Amino acid sequence: MMALVAFSLTAAAQEQKKALVELPQWVKNMKFSGYGMVQYQASDQENAESNAFNLRLVRLALEGRAHRDFYWKAQMQINGNTYDPDKSKTDIRLVDLFGEWQKYEFFKVKAGQFKRPFTFENPMHPITQGFMSYSQNVSKLAGFSDRTGEHGSNGRDIGLQLQGDFLKNSAGRNILHYQVGVFNGEGINQKDRDNRKDIIGGLWVAPVQGLRIGAFGWTGSRAGVGSKNRYAISAECAKDDWTFRSEYIHSQGWNAAFTADKADGVYALCIAPLLKEKLHVKARYDLYREAKEWNRSKTLYEVGADYVFNKSLQVNVEYARVNDRTAARHNYNMVDVELDFRF
């Protein structure tokens, strides 16, 4: 990927110098981009106090078109390996590598490694998602740090997906969206270990501009753990720089420790502008129940704000009151400050 980056930069320089060799159109169409998220987080959880700076995410991406109807993307992630027990290794992983045939808006075909088509929040950009992390139910039940013990996969898997938008209204806006895919079920950069595929799909309706209401389903398995059957119900309204979003997810299938067959979670959030597209205040209720029981629930009550300097730079501040029924001391506090930039 770095070689491609170097190649694209060299190609751009050559073009500026009016090189005699004409570059292929797909090279001219290539775009290099990325973003970084620098984080400070503190917690006063009993016997687990923390106070540290962290590189939450650094990503570099290349994308372009090999043909007018064929879009492709490759994306790398670099950060501290939060999935390694001693957390001492640098984690460099390929998170995206896919191509998509996009000739028809009602029928697109994507193949490779990419986001699972499950929930509204999973495919959202980490910066525009709005909070210090994805909600607990999405993290545990969409393949970030999945309850099945699957290695951290940032909500992604390897497979084939069909998707599209159709049924235009009088204003020419599509009202219905569908997506369905077949995946290995093992997460990123992994072959299928049990030769049984995961089927994931979703359908949503957008009756008015900015509003969408959807439902998602997921059935599959993971080697060594067994079956997993999940569904999600989602709603979002995003208009005039206001955002309201809520999703409920239910899961049936054993966790990695074989202590609970069912789990569920729900979140509800609001992001409100004080200065449109500049300064926002926000709040989120975030509940996850590992065994679908209240005595094993974890709830975050979050409030915060962000300031957008421009489209490439913003700062975020957030406070969370945590109620964790599985901890010796149920209640504790967290503070999170982030500097996010794009290029």
PDB file of all heavy atoms in Angstrom, residues 7 11 15 21-31 63-68 70 72:
ATOM      1  N   PHE A   7       3.942   5.622  -5.415  1.00  0.00           N
ATOM      2  CA  PHE A   7       3.719   5.637  -6.856  1.00  0.00           C
ATOM      3  C   PHE A   7       2.779   6.764  -7.264  1.00  0.00           C
ATOM      4  O   PHE A   7       3.021   7.476  -8.241  1.00  0.00           O
ATOM      5  CB  PHE A   7       3.175   4.291  -7.314  1.00  0.00           C
ATOM      6  CG  PHE A   7       2.866   4.229  -8.788  1.00  0.00           C
ATOM      7  CD1 PHE A   7       3.873   4.251  -9.735  1.00  0.00           C
ATOM      8  CD2 PHE A   7       1.548   4.161  -9.225  1.00  0.00           C
ATOM      9  CE1 PHE A   7       3.581   4.201 -11.079  1.00  0.00           C
ATOM     10  CE2 PHE A   7       1.244   4.114 -10.565  1.00  0.00           C
ATOM     11  CZ  PHE A   7       2.269   4.134 -11.508  1.00  0.00           C
ATOM     12  N   ALA A  11       3.692   9.846  -9.511  1.00  0.00           N
ATOM     13  CA  ALA A  11       2.920  10.061 -10.732  1.00  0.00           C
ATOM     14  C   ALA A  11       2.418  11.499 -10.816  1.00  0.00           C
ATOM     15  O   ALA A  11       2.446  12.120 -11.879  1.00  0.00           O
ATOM     16  CB  ALA A  11       1.747   9.082 -10.782  1.00  0.00           C
ATOM     17  N   GLU A  15       3.375  14.280 -13.627  1.00  0.00           N
ATOM     18  CA  GLU A  15       2.352  14.958 -14.415  1.00  0.00           C
ATOM     19  C   GLU A  15       2.557  16.462 -14.377  1.00  0.00           C
ATOM     20  O   GLU A  15       2.393  17.154 -15.381  1.00  0.00           O
ATOM     21  CB  GLU A  15       0.964  14.585 -13.893  1.00  0.00           C
ATOM     22  CG  GLU A  15      -0.152  15.103 -14.774  1.00  0.00           C
ATOM     23  CD  GLU A  15      -1.507  14.605 -14.333  1.00  0.00           C
ATOM     24  OE1 GLU A  15      -1.577  14.025 -13.239  1.00  0.00           O
ATOM     25  OE2 GLU A  15      -2.477  14.814 -15.069  1.00  0.00           O
ATOM     26  N   VAL A  21       5.415  10.494 -20.858  1.00  0.00           N
ATOM     27  CA  VAL A  21       4.609   9.286 -20.805  1.00  0.00           C
ATOM     28  C   VAL A  21       3.223   9.621 -20.257  1.00  0.00           C
ATOM     29  O   VAL A  21       3.092  10.213 -19.186  1.00  0.00           O
ATOM     30  CB  VAL A  21       5.288   8.225 -19.899  1.00  0.00           C
ATOM     31  CG1 VAL A  21       4.401   6.973 -19.809  1.00  0.00           C
ATOM     32  CG2 VAL A  21       6.658   7.874 -20.455  1.00  0.00           C
ATOM     33  N   GLU A  22       2.188   9.248 -20.990  1.00  0.00           N
ATOM     34  CA  GLU A  22       0.819   9.489 -20.551  1.00  0.00           C
ATOM     35  C   GLU A  22       0.432   8.457 -19.504  1.00  0.00           C
ATOM     36  O   GLU A  22       0.552   7.254 -19.724  1.00  0.00           O
ATOM     37  CB  GLU A  22      -0.132   9.393 -21.740  1.00  0.00           C
ATOM     38  CG  GLU A  22      -1.586   9.650 -21.396  1.00  0.00           C
ATOM     39  CD  GLU A  22      -1.853  11.087 -20.983  1.00  0.00           C
ATOM     40  OE1 GLU A  22      -1.029  11.968 -21.340  1.00  0.00           O
ATOM     41  OE2 GLU A  22      -2.882  11.326 -20.336  1.00  0.00           O
ATOM     42  N   LEU A  23      -0.051   8.940 -18.335  1.00  0.00           N
ATOM     43  CA  LEU A  23      -0.421   8.037 -17.248  1.00  0.00           C
ATOM     44  C   LEU A  23      -1.787   7.420 -17.504  1.00  0.00           C
ATOM     45  O   LEU A  23      -2.672   8.070 -18.057  1.00  0.00           O
ATOM     46  CB  LEU A  23      -0.457   8.798 -15.924  1.00  0.00           C
ATOM     47  CG  LEU A  23       0.879   9.367 -15.440  1.00  0.00           C
ATOM     48  CD1 LEU A  23       0.646  10.251 -14.218  1.00  0.00           C
ATOM     49  CD2 LEU A  23       1.846   8.255 -15.103  1.00  0.00           C
ATOM     50  N   PRO A  24      -1.970   6.181 -17.062  1.00  0.00           N
ATOM     51  CA  PRO A  24      -3.297   5.556 -17.208  1.00  0.00           C
ATOM     52  C   PRO A  24      -4.348   6.349 -16.440  1.00  0.00           C
ATOM     53  O   PRO A  24      -4.060   6.972 -15.416  1.00  0.00           O
ATOM     54  CB  PRO A  24      -3.092   4.168 -16.582  1.00  0.00           C
ATOM     55  CG  PRO A  24      -1.622   3.933 -16.613  1.00  0.00           C
ATOM     56  CD  PRO A  24      -0.979   5.284 -16.462  1.00  0.00           C
ATOM     57  N   GLN A  25      -5.597   6.297 -16.928  1.00  0.00           N
ATOM     58  CA  GLN A  25      -6.656   7.066 -16.306  1.00  0.00           C
ATOM     59  C   GLN A  25      -6.894   6.642 -14.862  1.00  0.00           C
ATOM     60  O   GLN A  25      -7.201   7.463 -14.003  1.00  0.00           O
ATOM     61  CB  GLN A  25      -7.954   6.922 -17.110  1.00  0.00           C
ATOM     62  CG  GLN A  25      -9.069   7.858 -16.662  1.00  0.00           C
ATOM     63  CD  GLN A  25      -8.697   9.317 -16.800  1.00  0.00           C
ATOM     64  OE1 GLN A  25      -8.123   9.724 -17.800  1.00  0.00           O
ATOM     65  NE2 GLN A  25      -9.021  10.118 -15.777  1.00  0.00           N
ATOM     66  N   TRP A  26      -6.745   5.320 -14.559  1.00  0.00           N
ATOM     67  CA  TRP A  26      -7.003   4.855 -13.198  1.00  0.00           C
ATOM     68  C   TRP A  26      -5.994   5.418 -12.216  1.00  0.00           C
ATOM     69  O   TRP A  26      -6.303   5.617 -11.040  1.00  0.00           O
ATOM     70  CB  TRP A  26      -7.040   3.320 -13.142  1.00  0.00           C
ATOM     71  CG  TRP A  26      -5.713   2.644 -13.300  1.00  0.00           C
ATOM     72  CD1 TRP A  26      -5.125   2.235 -14.460  1.00  0.00           C
ATOM     73  CD2 TRP A  26      -4.813   2.279 -12.247  1.00  0.00           C
ATOM     74  NE1 TRP A  26      -3.912   1.651 -14.216  1.00  0.00           N
ATOM     75  CE2 TRP A  26      -3.696   1.661 -12.850  1.00  0.00           C
ATOM     76  CE3 TRP A  26      -4.832   2.411 -10.859  1.00  0.00           C
ATOM     77  CZ2 TRP A  26      -2.615   1.179 -12.123  1.00  0.00           C
ATOM     78  CZ3 TRP A  26      -3.765   1.925 -10.122  1.00  0.00           C
ATOM     79  CH2 TRP A  26      -2.674   1.327 -10.746  1.00  0.00           C
ATOM     80  N   VAL A  27      -4.774   5.711 -12.687  1.00  0.00           N
ATOM     81  CA  VAL A  27      -3.769   6.341 -11.820  1.00  0.00           C
ATOM     82  C   VAL A  27      -4.136   7.806 -11.591  1.00  0.00           C
ATOM     83  O   VAL A  27      -4.033   8.319 -10.478  1.00  0.00           O
ATOM     84  CB  VAL A  27      -2.366   6.219 -12.439  1.00  0.00           C
ATOM     85  CG1 VAL A  27      -1.339   6.974 -11.591  1.00  0.00           C
ATOM     86  CG2 VAL A  27      -1.968   4.751 -12.569  1.00  0.00           C
ATOM     87  N   LYS A  28      -4.615   8.483 -12.615  1.00  0.00           N
ATOM     88  CA  LYS A  28      -5.030   9.867 -12.467  1.00  0.00           C
ATOM     89  C   LYS A  28      -6.208  10.000 -11.494  1.00  0.00           C
ATOM     90  O   LYS A  28      -6.352  11.001 -10.801  1.00  0.00           O
ATOM     91  CB  LYS A  28      -5.417  10.451 -13.823  1.00  0.00           C
ATOM     92  CG  LYS A  28      -4.271  10.582 -14.810  1.00  0.00           C
ATOM     93  CD  LYS A  28      -4.756  11.168 -16.118  1.00  0.00           C
ATOM     94  CE  LYS A  28      -3.629  11.301 -17.125  1.00  0.00           C
ATOM     95  NZ  LYS A  28      -4.106  11.852 -18.426  1.00  0.00           N
ATOM     96  N   ASN A  29      -7.046   8.986 -11.493  1.00  0.00           N
ATOM     97  CA  ASN A  29      -8.227   9.016 -10.630  1.00  0.00           C
ATOM     98  C   ASN A  29      -7.936   8.612  -9.185  1.00  0.00           C
ATOM     99  O   ASN A  29      -8.807   8.716  -8.329  1.00  0.00           O
ATOM    100  CB  ASN A  29      -9.304   8.067 -11.175  1.00  0.00           C
ATOM    101  CG  ASN A  29      -9.898   8.557 -12.483  1.00  0.00           C
ATOM    102  OD1 ASN A  29      -9.816   9.742 -12.789  1.00  0.00           O
ATOM    103  ND2 ASN A  29     -10.460   7.648 -13.262  1.00  0.00           N
ATOM    104  N   MET A  30      -6.730   8.136  -8.914  1.00  0.00           N
ATOM    105  CA  MET A  30      -6.403   7.642  -7.591  1.00  0.00           C
ATOM    106  C   MET A  30      -6.366   8.781  -6.563  1.00  0.00           C
ATOM    107  O   MET A  30      -5.846   9.868  -6.824  1.00  0.00           O
ATOM    108  CB  MET A  30      -5.044   6.937  -7.612  1.00  0.00           C
ATOM    109  CG  MET A  30      -4.701   6.177  -6.343  1.00  0.00           C
ATOM    110  SD  MET A  30      -3.047   5.452  -6.435  1.00  0.00           S
ATOM    111  CE  MET A  30      -3.224   4.365  -7.841  1.00  0.00           C
ATOM    112  N   LYS A  31      -6.944   8.523  -5.382  1.00  0.00           N
ATOM    113  CA  LYS A  31      -6.980   9.512  -4.305  1.00  0.00           C
ATOM    114  C   LYS A  31      -6.350   8.931  -3.041  1.00  0.00           C
ATOM    115  O   LYS A  31      -6.696   7.824  -2.624  1.00  0.00           O
ATOM    116  CB  LYS A  31      -8.425   9.918  -4.010  1.00  0.00           C
ATOM    117  CG  LYS A  31      -8.574  10.893  -2.848  1.00  0.00           C
ATOM    118  CD  LYS A  31     -10.037  11.173  -2.549  1.00  0.00           C
ATOM    119  CE  LYS A  31     -10.198  12.071  -1.337  1.00  0.00           C
ATOM    120  NZ  LYS A  31     -11.636  12.296  -1.005  1.00  0.00           N
ATOM    121  N   GLU A  63      -7.976   5.098  -2.894  1.00  0.00           N
ATOM    122  CA  GLU A  63      -9.219   4.728  -3.556  1.00  0.00           C
ATOM    123  C   GLU A  63      -9.228   5.310  -4.959  1.00  0.00           C
ATOM    124  O   GLU A  63      -8.477   6.250  -5.273  1.00  0.00           O
ATOM    125  CB  GLU A  63     -10.426   5.232  -2.768  1.00  0.00           C
ATOM    126  CG  GLU A  63     -10.449   6.739  -2.574  1.00  0.00           C
ATOM    127  CD  GLU A  63     -11.579   7.155  -1.634  1.00  0.00           C
ATOM    128  OE1 GLU A  63     -12.715   6.683  -1.839  1.00  0.00           O
ATOM    129  OE2 GLU A  63     -11.329   7.953  -0.718  1.00  0.00           O
ATOM    130  N   GLY A  64     -10.065   4.747  -5.786  1.00  0.00           N
ATOM    131  CA  GLY A  64     -10.140   5.240  -7.150  1.00  0.00           C
ATOM    132  C   GLY A  64     -11.095   4.407  -7.989  1.00  0.00           C
ATOM    133  O   GLY A  64     -11.885   3.620  -7.470  1.00  0.00           O
ATOM    134  N   ARG A  65     -10.979   4.576  -9.301  1.00  0.00           N
ATOM    135  CA  ARG A  65     -11.815   3.836 -10.234  1.00  0.00           C
ATOM    136  C   ARG A  65     -10.939   3.182 -11.292  1.00  0.00           C
ATOM    137  O   ARG A  65     -10.158   3.853 -11.977  1.00  0.00           O
ATOM    138  CB  ARG A  65     -12.845   4.752 -10.892  1.00  0.00           C
ATOM    139  CG  ARG A  65     -13.931   5.206  -9.932  1.00  0.00           C
ATOM    140  CD  ARG A  65     -15.064   5.906 -10.632  1.00  0.00           C
ATOM    141  NE  ARG A  65     -16.123   6.231  -9.684  1.00  0.00           N
ATOM    142  CZ  ARG A  65     -17.089   5.380  -9.325  1.00  0.00           C
ATOM    143  NH1 ARG A  65     -17.130   4.176  -9.877  1.00  0.00           N
ATOM    144  NH2 ARG A  65     -18.000   5.744  -8.453  1.00  0.00           N
ATOM    145  N   ALA A  66     -11.062   1.873 -11.393  1.00  0.00           N
ATOM    146  CA  ALA A  66     -10.370   1.151 -12.451  1.00  0.00           C
ATOM    147  C   ALA A  66     -11.137   1.249 -13.755  1.00  0.00           C
ATOM    148  O   ALA A  66     -10.612   0.970 -14.825  1.00  0.00           O
ATOM    149  CB  ALA A  66     -10.200  -0.314 -12.050  1.00  0.00           C
ATOM    150  N   HIS A  67     -12.415   1.636 -13.633  1.00  0.00           N
ATOM    151  CA  HIS A  67     -13.330   1.776 -14.757  1.00  0.00           C
ATOM    152  C   HIS A  67     -14.429   2.708 -14.279  1.00  0.00           C
ATOM    153  O   HIS A  67     -14.639   2.857 -13.083  1.00  0.00           O
ATOM    154  CB  HIS A  67     -13.882   0.387 -15.150  1.00  0.00           C
ATOM    155  CG  HIS A  67     -14.816   0.403 -16.306  1.00  0.00           C
ATOM    156  ND1 HIS A  67     -16.171   0.575 -16.152  1.00  0.00           N
ATOM    157  CD2 HIS A  67     -14.597   0.250 -17.641  1.00  0.00           C
ATOM    158  CE1 HIS A  67     -16.757   0.521 -17.341  1.00  0.00           C
ATOM    159  NE2 HIS A  67     -15.823   0.330 -18.261  1.00  0.00           N
ATOM    160  N   ARG A  68     -15.146   3.337 -15.168  1.00  0.00           N
ATOM    161  CA  ARG A  68     -16.172   4.295 -14.744  1.00  0.00           C
ATOM    162  C   ARG A  68     -17.237   3.647 -13.861  1.00  0.00           C
ATOM    163  O   ARG A  68     -17.882   4.326 -13.055  1.00  0.00           O
ATOM    164  CB  ARG A  68     -16.834   4.959 -15.962  1.00  0.00           C
ATOM    165  CG  ARG A  68     -17.662   4.027 -16.829  1.00  0.00           C
ATOM    166  CD  ARG A  68     -18.339   4.782 -17.967  1.00  0.00           C
ATOM    167  NE  ARG A  68     -19.164   3.930 -18.788  1.00  0.00           N
ATOM    168  CZ  ARG A  68     -18.728   3.222 -19.808  1.00  0.00           C
ATOM    169  NH1 ARG A  68     -17.431   3.277 -20.124  1.00  0.00           N
ATOM    170  NH2 ARG A  68     -19.546   2.456 -20.512  1.00  0.00           N
ATOM    171  N   PHE A  70     -16.524   0.873 -11.869  1.00  0.00           N
ATOM    172  CA  PHE A  70     -15.880   0.016 -10.869  1.00  0.00           C
ATOM    173  C   PHE A  70     -15.042   0.854  -9.908  1.00  0.00           C
ATOM    174  O   PHE A  70     -14.031   1.447 -10.287  1.00  0.00           O
ATOM    175  CB  PHE A  70     -15.000  -1.031 -11.558  1.00  0.00           C
ATOM    176  CG  PHE A  70     -14.468  -2.080 -10.629  1.00  0.00           C
ATOM    177  CD1 PHE A  70     -15.217  -3.202 -10.336  1.00  0.00           C
ATOM    178  CD2 PHE A  70     -13.225  -1.931 -10.034  1.00  0.00           C
ATOM    179  CE1 PHE A  70     -14.733  -4.183  -9.471  1.00  0.00           C
ATOM    180  CE2 PHE A  70     -12.732  -2.899  -9.172  1.00  0.00           C
ATOM    181  CZ  PHE A  70     -13.490  -4.028  -8.885  1.00  0.00           C
ATOM    182  N   TRP A  72     -12.840   1.085  -6.254  1.00  0.00           N
ATOM    183  CA  TRP A  72     -12.040   0.245  -5.368  1.00  0.00           C
ATOM    184  C   TRP A  72     -11.463   1.074  -4.213  1.00  0.00           C
ATOM    185  O   TRP A  72     -11.323   2.303  -4.310  1.00  0.00           O
ATOM    186  CB  TRP A  72     -10.899  -0.439  -6.132  1.00  0.00           C
ATOM    187  CG  TRP A  72      -9.891   0.529  -6.718  1.00  0.00           C
ATOM    188  CD1 TRP A  72      -9.915   1.081  -7.970  1.00  0.00           C
ATOM    189  CD2 TRP A  72      -8.726   1.062  -6.076  1.00  0.00           C
ATOM    190  NE1 TRP A  72      -8.844   1.933  -8.152  1.00  0.00           N
ATOM    191  CE2 TRP A  72      -8.095   1.934  -6.999  1.00  0.00           C
ATOM    192  CE3 TRP A  72      -8.170   0.893  -4.819  1.00  0.00           C
ATOM    193  CZ2 TRP A  72      -6.926   2.617  -6.693  1.00  0.00           C
ATOM    194  CZ3 TRP A  72      -6.981   1.581  -4.511  1.00  0.00           C
ATOM    195  CH2 TRP A  72      -6.381   2.434  -5.444  1.00  0.00           C
TER     196      TRP A  72
END
